[in-house]
Amino acid sequence: MSESNHKAGFVNIIGKPNVGKSTLMNALLGEKLSIISSKAQTTRHRILGIMNEPEYQIVFSDTPGMLKPKYELHKSMMSFVNLSLEDADVIVFVTDLFEDDTDIEEIIQKINGSGVPVLLVINKIDLNKEEKLQEVTAYWQERIKAAETIPVSALENFNLQKILQEILDRMPVHPPFYDKEELSDRPERFFASEIIREKIFTQYKKEIPYSTEVRVEEFDETDKLIRMRALIYVERESQKGIIIGDKGKALKRVGTKAREEMEKFFGKKVFLETYVKVEENWRTNKNKLRKFGYDQ
């Protein structure tokens, strides 16, 4: 395809927590870039995933789940969502068979007033019957001004090609925004820290995952090995004890599972050291949030 016909644009995936936005982006890309857990609010940053083909470049953006902010971290997370409404060529609004528009009415107004084409994607259709799908579809079509409604199962890769085609039909003709070899705009350290955070979400209960942040302090890479040192931050001393566990067993389990995942992701051996540090009330302090990259 000639340069003059090449398509490129930004597709921003938004929706409430836990409707499957990250699963959908990973499935579309065929790569696991966004971390996934069964707990809501797993995604905290805006993560770009770049799909490259000779004829086009689609820059997908996975955003935190839409919610009413309760503290500064939530406000920062929602700023990523609001930003995604401003620079999109296509908005993919993801919901499922179980969510409604509670707490997000204001954002829906912004979506409808954005002038950006919206694809209404109803996810998790493998979990219920046809009658429920019809009911949910009618509900959301009354609320979202959608160019197209697409029922999908991101987990089972059902109807993903339909989403891709609808996106391509709306992509502007434009040269690529990123190098065609790039998979994301995020550095490797970011993905390493996200992998560790995902394992914390799957290994611990209640408030612990939400009170935790991860920073990779050292990242040294050779042809065959990556050596890294990661700090796991918590808000209270009691949480530090829970993260570490009896004789360090809980922290060791997180480290082992994270290392195994990293070796798959990076395609080489990983030597990982993890430490736990208390950073009091980091979720409510703007300066501390800026330190962790929440500076929007």
Side-chain angles (χ1 to χ4, degrees):
M1 176 168 282
S2 69
E3 191 75 22
S4 61
N5 292 326
H6 185 277
K7 289 187 170 187
F10 292 83
V11 176
N12 298 341
I13 303 173
I14 63 177
K16 293 182 82 170
N18 225 25
V19 294
K21 299 181 302 297
S22 298
T23 304
L24 178 64
M25 187 176 87
N26 291 344
L28 286 165
L29 289 168
E31 296 279 353
K32 185 178 176 184
L33 295 186
S34 287
I35 66 174
I36 300 167
S37 86
S38 59
K39 297 179 177 70
Q41 301 171 36
T42 308
T43 300
R44 290 179 181 165
H45 295 268
R46 187 182 183 193
I47 301 168
L48 298 191
I50 305 168
M51 177 183 284
N52 291 301
E53 294 294 340
E55 314 86 30
Y56 61 82
Q57 181 180 82
I58 303 174
V59 185
F60 288 100
S61 174
D62 181 21
T63 58
M66 299 185 298
L67 44 74
K68 274 193 174 177
K70 293 180 180 177
Y71 39 76
E72 289 299 326
L73 174 60
H74 282 170
K75 289 180 183 177
S76 180
M77 288 162 63
M78 285 306 299
S79 73
F80 291 126
V81 176
N82 289 322
L83 181 64
S84 74
L85 300 180
E86 297 172 10
D87 62 6
D89 293 295
V90 177
I91 292 171
V92 175
F93 182 90
V94 183
T95 187
D96 60 22
L97 295 174
F98 316 104
E99 285 292 352
D100 59 26
D101 66 351
T102 305
D103 292 340
I104 62 168
E105 299 91 343
E106 186 179 328
I107 299 175
I108 287 176
Q109 286 182 9
K110 289 182 181 179
I111 293 168
N112 289 337
S114 68
V116 178
V118 179
L119 301 180
L120 172 60
V121 171
I122 301 174
N123 192 22
K124 305 183 184 178
I125 64 167
D126 50 298
L127 299 181
N128 221 301
K129 297 178 180 177
E130 182 69 23
E131 307 84 68
K132 179 70 172 176
L133 175 59
Q134 292 173 354
E135 176 189 324
V136 170
T137 300
Y139 174 89
W140 282 107
Q141 284 179 336
E142 286 181 2
R143 287 157 177 79
I144 297 284
K145 294 178 182 176
E148 193 71 33
T149 303
I150 311 168
V152 306
S153 170
L155 202 59
E156 296 185 356
N157 289 344
F158 173 73
N159 237 5
L160 299 190
Q161 200 59 40
K162 169 73 171 170
I163 297 177
L164 188 57
Q165 189 56 57
E166 294 291 342
I167 288 169
L168 286 172
D169 289 347
R170 293 166 176 81
M171 276 289 100
V173 173
H174 197 283
F177 291 94
Y178 295 90
D179 188 288
K180 284 282 191 143
E181 299 301 312
E182 293 293 321
L183 188 61
S184 178
D185 66 328
R186 294 281 185 172
E188 291 180 321
R189 282 178 187 240
F190 173 80
F191 291 108
S193 66
E194 287 287 273
I195 288 169
I196 296 169
R197 205 163 60 79
E198 179 185 61
K199 301 314 170 191
I200 292 169
F201 263 81
T202 57
Q203 296 296 314
Y204 299 92
K205 298 177 181 178
K206 297 182 180 177
E207 185 65 11
I208 292 296
Y210 301 102
S211 303
T212 305
E213 187 56 70
V214 178
R215 283 186 66 182
V216 174
E217 301 286 313
E218 295 177 14
F219 189 101
D220 299 314
E221 186 172 8
T222 64
D223 290 343
K224 296 182 179 179
L225 177 69
I226 300 174
R227 291 180 177 273
M228 67 180 83
R229 178 175 177 271
L231 277 178
I232 299 171
Y233 291 90
V234 292
E235 291 191 303
R236 298 191 299 275
E237 198 67 37
S238 59
Q239 294 169 342
K240 180 177 178 180
I242 295 171
I243 289 281
I244 294 170
D246 183 37
K247 298 179 181 176
K249 288 178 183 176
L251 182 60
K252 184 177 180 181
R253 186 165 57 246
V254 166
T256 299
K257 290 187 175 296
R259 178 182 53 76
E260 290 170 351
E261 181 88 12
M262 287 180 197
E263 289 180 344
K264 292 178 194 171
F265 185 85
F266 294 114
K268 59 179 69 176
K269 286 288 183 184
V270 171
F271 177 78
L272 173 64
E273 291 181 287
T274 53
Y275 301 87
V276 185
K277 184 177 180 180
V278 176
E279 187 76 67
E280 290 185 2
N281 303 318
W282 68 265
R283 289 185 294 174
T284 58
N285 186 298
K286 287 185 178 180
N287 289 331
K288 292 179 180 180
L289 285 167
R290 197 169 291 117
K291 167 184 170 181
F292 292 133
Y294 300 99
D295 54 0
Q296 292 296 323

